[in-house]
Amino acid sequence: MHSDVPSSNPSTLDVAYRDDDLYSTSRTSSVVSKGDETSLIENSTRKGQAAYYQDLDYAEPDHKEPGSVDESPDLWNKLFGTAKYPLEQRIENKKRGIGRQKYPFVVWALTIAMVGMFINELVVNARAQGTPLSFKPAVNPMLGPSESALINLGARFPPCMKSVTNISSSTLMPCLNDTANPPTSLCTIEEVCGFGGWGDGTPNQWFRFITPIFLHAGIIHILLNMLAQVTCIEREMGSGGFFITYFAAGIFGNVLGGNFSLVGAPSVGASGAIFGTVAVTWVDLFAHWRYHYQPRKRLAWMSVELVLGIALGYIPYVDNFAHLGGLCMGLLVGTTFYPVISPTPRHRAIMWAFRLAAIPLAVVLFVVLIRNFYTSDPYAACSGCRYLSCIPLSSNDYCQGTGMS
């Protein structure tokens, strides 16, 4: 009696049942046993789990293509975003939102430092006025310490930094403990500026270009800035490039504000630095337009956020010039340090041309504006610029005075 089932070549079955999974061994039996089926299911499950956890942990691929570049950059390359990756992997990572590094270490450190400084602000005001928030002689709309306390702690305040026309070191202003309106407890500007005053009689507290970055005017101010800060792009550009961009933008914003804002109006906040990182997101959007999901919708939202940020620059103790200066410097420095994907030699050449032009331009802007701050009358150069950060009111002499209340 002949069998109805045709005979099969064992080697043919070998090919048919060979398991191509990386975690399994080749099949040598002509019939798949029940144990083999279980092994196949387990292998498939393990492979799916491995791929899933790779997505979360930004692990390296299971296997590399021939000729691919080593994808395990050292710490220096991770921090500065200079590690070499295959072009296809960089594009795929951009589409999936995977950055150069896993954690935003600089953002975490800055947030901890700023929260600590804000707690100190509240303690200083509580010791001076008996309450951590200033409600007398005027309410701080940001729900924070008094104007004198902010100046004493390091706010950008030109009379503490240089000789200002119509404001001398002996000019009187409310002391930190004053709660009366009109003020009854008066101190000289040198006393309010603190930090030991200035020995030679000339204000010289240049560090006030830096210290305002770590100070905030109140609870509302710090909440808004910390919310914006935690969404920054450190993971995409690396901690080193992010750190340089952040402080270059923050300091330049204070330099620009020192030149053109009302000299008697103190300013604090990390907004200029944050606007610098916002500028990098614009660089990212236009440089990687084709890789972003719904880029036009993203552009619309970023435009709304930018307008709202500039509108907030008219709130007391916040300075629009810090915002605009930070945005400008963020574009220049961010273009230099952000790891733009260049799919063609022409695109790469254009990006390097921008970088080579941005570096000297950033240096020139710093030098010119710092020199202008100390040697010239900024208002003479641009008398109308003050309105970019000042709403004309009777309390500020319609933006024509020094801005001291």
Side-chain angles (χ1 to χ4, degrees), residues 212-271:
I213 298 174
F214 295 92
L215 302 174
H216 288 84
I219 296 173
I220 297 174
H221 192 194
I222 193 169
L223 286 177
L224 290 174
N225 275 1
M226 295 305 97
L227 179 63
Q229 187 162 280
V230 296
T231 59
C232 286
I233 58 169
E234 179 185 352
R235 291 172 62 249
E236 291 193 36
M237 68 185 303
S239 293
F242 176 84
F243 180 88
I244 295 173
T245 302
Y246 189 93
F247 280 98
I251 295 170
F252 184 76
N254 285 321
V255 171
L256 188 67
N259 273 271
F260 299 112
S261 292
L262 296 177
V263 293
S267 173
V268 294
S271 302

Side-chain angles (χ1 to χ4, degrees), residues 135 160 170 187 194 232 284 293 338:
F135 297 104
C160 298
S170 59
C187 298
C232 286
D284 170 45
Y293 177 69
Y338 190 78

Side-chain angles (χ1 to χ4, degrees), residues 58 85 93-94 97-102 235-237:
Y58 310 111
Y85 293 85
N93 286 351
K94 168 58 63 177
I98 298 176
R100 289 280 187 170
Q101 63 187 57
K102 192 173 179 181
R235 291 172 62 249
E236 291 193 36
M237 68 185 303

Side-chain angles (χ1 to χ4, degrees), residues 40-117:
L40 284 172
I41 295 173
E42 290 176 352
N43 288 335
S44 176
T45 303
R46 285 199 302 268
K47 185 175 180 181
Q49 291 175 341
Y52 173 75
Y53 286 112
Q54 282 178 6
D55 289 348
L56 291 180
D57 295 338
Y58 310 111
E60 299 176 16
D62 291 332
H63 49 274
K64 300 179 182 179
E65 296 295 332
S68 64
V69 183
D70 184 14
E71 297 164 9
S72 302
D74 57 27
L75 179 60
W76 177 268
N77 287 329
K78 284 183 177 181
L79 289 177
F80 284 90
T82 57
K84 301 297 183 182
Y85 293 85
L87 179 61
E88 294 77 9
Q89 181 185 341
R90 293 186 63 192
I91 294 174
E92 182 62 25
N93 286 351
K94 168 58 63 177
K95 292 179 178 178
R96 295 166 61 193
I98 298 176
R100 289 280 187 170
Q101 63 187 57
K102 192 173 179 181
Y103 301 112
F105 298 109
V106 174
V107 168
W108 290 351
L110 288 171
T111 302
I112 293 171
M114 290 174 185
V115 171
M117 287 296 298

Side-chain angles (χ1 to χ4, degrees), residues 19 26 41 99 112 124 154 163 182 199 206 217 262 270 274 286 323 325 372 393:
D19 180 17
S26 61
I41 295 173
I112 293 171
V124 169
S163 297
W206 56 268
L262 296 177
I274 293 172
F286 287 107
H323 293 176
N372 190 66
L393 300 170

Side-chain angles (χ1 to χ4, degrees), residues 59 66 109 185 331:
S185 179
L331 286 172

Side-chain angles (χ1 to χ4, degrees), residues 118 121-122 125 129 131-136 138-147 149-150 216-221 317:
F118 184 68
E121 292 177 40
L122 300 181
N125 200 78
Q129 294 189 342
T131 174
L133 307 181
S134 179
F135 297 104
K136 297 180 180 180
V139 176
N140 180 341
M142 289 289 195
L143 301 180
S146 67
E147 178 177 297
L150 292 174
H216 288 84
I219 296 173
I220 297 174
H221 192 194
Y317 311 124

